[in-house]
Amino acid sequence: MQDGAIEAELTAVVVAVTDGEPRVLTIREGSLLPSGPFASGHRTLQAGLRGWVEQQTHHPLGYVEQLYTFADRDRSAEDTGRRVISISYLGLTRQSRASGRDQPGWRVWYRYFPWEDWRDGAPPLIAKAILPRLRSWAAEPAEAAIRRARQQRFRITFGVGDLPWNEEMVLQRYELLFEAGLVAEAIRRRGGDMAEALPGEEMLHDHRRILATGIARLRAKIKYRPVVFELMAESFTLLQLQRAVEALAGQMLHKQNFRRLVEQQSLVEETGEVTSETGGRPAKLFRFRERVLQERAITGTTLPISRMV
């Protein structure tokens, strides 16, 4: 590539929910998201993306929407002479076997962001490791104004004290930890001791940042659009639907409030069948209403997420 030229890379955050866990499709043993350069032979950006995903994972894409464009000059710690713009997409699907030479596979996304899973309450990692190190980082500058700004930033992003945890601030939390030099990507970039990195699997280039953006987008969307149906089987129990939403949000939902919300919005209808696979008494099976499948966009109230502390 000539000096000053710009390359476009297409990157996919492909999400599924399986066995109550949110999973993302990766390549290179979990170190990268499916991606590849936009070539002149690609008819459109989305066609190019679908081609790369299918080539690298043999997994066809269904629902896809553009996520974000990353154009930072230092997106990668390697080959700094290249300027690569990443055009990322969010894809929702149902998990099926991935195969190919690029070592594709499905990874639970909390392996990359263990501090984001609040389904069993606040992760101990936050109080034991993250907040003490962020406090030390915030106290470093000599200027009082910078110290105050840093303190306010980590208090807001991690919901410290009387401030609430905001499940949508996935990207802000990752970028804060990167700036503070606490995640593996930041430590590797400065040539530091990798043993100092917080728990959470590393990804190459800025793919963990792209993944954080995808998680944040999806957590916001499930509050006002029934996109979760893209992740469900044709029929499901209300408990399975609730568990899928909880997996994405990283928080538990109040059972009765959740069911009331689903009923008020007329999102689902009974199939007339039951299943005994739940382990208890037979549970009714539901499906999304036809108009939901056709419209794919219904205005609704926010999910009844109950904070667990």
Side-chain angles (χ1 to χ4, degrees):
M1 184 175 71
Q2 297 179 348
D3 291 341
I6 297 176
E7 274 187 5
E9 178 186 73
L10 306 173
T11 307
V13 179
V14 182
V15 176
V17 176
T18 307
D19 297 328
E21 293 294 344
R23 303 172 191 268
V24 62
L25 185 59
T26 65
I27 59 174
R28 307 265 185 97
E29 296 185 322
S31 64
L32 286 172
L33 299 168
S35 55
F38 178 61
S40 58
H42 292 145
R43 184 174 58 85
T44 63
L45 291 169
Q46 192 175 123
L49 177 87
R50 291 178 182 275
W52 278 116
V53 172
E54 293 188 19
Q55 177 181 323
Q56 293 173 341
T57 70
H58 296 170
H59 191 289
L61 285 182
Y63 174 92
V64 174
E65 66 175 61
Q66 191 164 333
L67 181 60
Y68 195 76
T69 298
F70 297 84
D72 296 13
R73 188 178 295 277
D74 58 348
R75 287 189 55 238
S76 173
E78 306 169 1
D79 193 11
T80 55
R82 300 168 65 232
R83 185 68 182 271
V84 181
I85 294 176
S86 179
I87 304 168
S88 60
Y89 286 80
L90 174 65
L92 306 180
T93 188
R94 295 162 194 162
Q95 181 175 334
S96 62
R97 184 175 180 271
S99 61
R101 293 179 300 175
D102 291 282
Q103 300 171 300
W106 293 91
R107 299 288 197 281
V108 175
W109 73 31
Y110 294 123
R111 292 173 60 169
Y112 301 100
F113 305 98
W115 52 85
E116 293 292 339
D117 189 359
W118 283 58
R119 287 174 294 176
D120 292 325
L125 171 67
I126 295 178
K128 291 181 178 180
I130 293 178
L131 293 184
R133 296 179 69 178
L134 284 177
R135 289 190 178 98
S136 297
W137 170 76
E140 288 176 357
E143 298 86 348
I146 298 179
R147 292 198 303 270
R148 286 195 298 269
R150 287 186 174 188
Q151 290 167 0
Q152 183 182 42
R153 186 176 169 195
F154 82 72
R155 282 175 53 81
I156 292 173
T157 53
F158 279 92
V160 178
D162 59 349
L163 296 175
W165 172 266
N166 185 338
E167 70 280 356
E168 294 180 30
M169 298 183 72
V170 188
L171 178 61
Q172 290 92 329
R173 283 187 283 272
Y174 174 74
E175 291 187 328
L176 174 62
L177 295 174
F178 188 100
E179 184 178 334
L182 303 182
V183 292
E185 292 87 344
I187 294 173
R188 187 177 300 281
R189 180 166 295 189
R190 70 168 189 262
D193 183 358
M194 296 299 294
E196 297 179 356
L198 289 170
E201 290 190 22
E202 177 185 8
M203 299 188 86
L204 296 176
H205 311 313
D206 60 350
H207 281 212
R208 190 149 58 140
R209 182 185 179 204
I210 295 174
L211 176 56
T213 306
I215 296 173
R217 168 74 66 84
L218 189 50
R219 283 183 169 183
K221 288 182 72 69
I222 59 176
K223 294 181 179 180
Y224 64 90
R225 291 187 61 192
V227 294
V228 70
F229 83 82
E230 302 280 0
L231 308 170
M232 303 298 296
E234 290 187 9
S235 61
F236 46 84
T237 68
L238 289 182
L239 181 59
Q240 289 171 335
L241 179 62
Q242 180 177 335
R243 291 289 181 260
V245 175
E246 290 172 341
L248 299 173
Q251 296 200 53
M252 300 301 289
L253 308 179
H254 187 280
K255 181 178 179 180
Q256 296 305 321
N257 286 352
F258 178 81
R259 297 194 174 198
R260 190 178 303 114
L261 175 68
V262 171
E263 292 174 359
Q264 287 174 349
Q265 295 189 10
S266 299
L267 297 177
V268 300
E269 61 186 7
E270 295 184 20
T271 66
E273 300 177 351
V274 298
T275 178
S276 57
E277 294 180 1
T278 56
R281 64 181 184 180
K284 293 180 180 179
L285 286 172
F286 292 79
R287 61 184 168 228
F288 285 98
R289 293 183 182 275
E290 186 63 28
R291 66 181 181 82
V292 175
L293 302 180
Q294 292 174 349
E295 295 171 6
R296 300 196 173 206
I298 295 179
T299 301
T301 57
T302 59
L303 288 173
I305 295 178
S306 60
R307 207 175 157 216
M308 298 189 64
V309 294

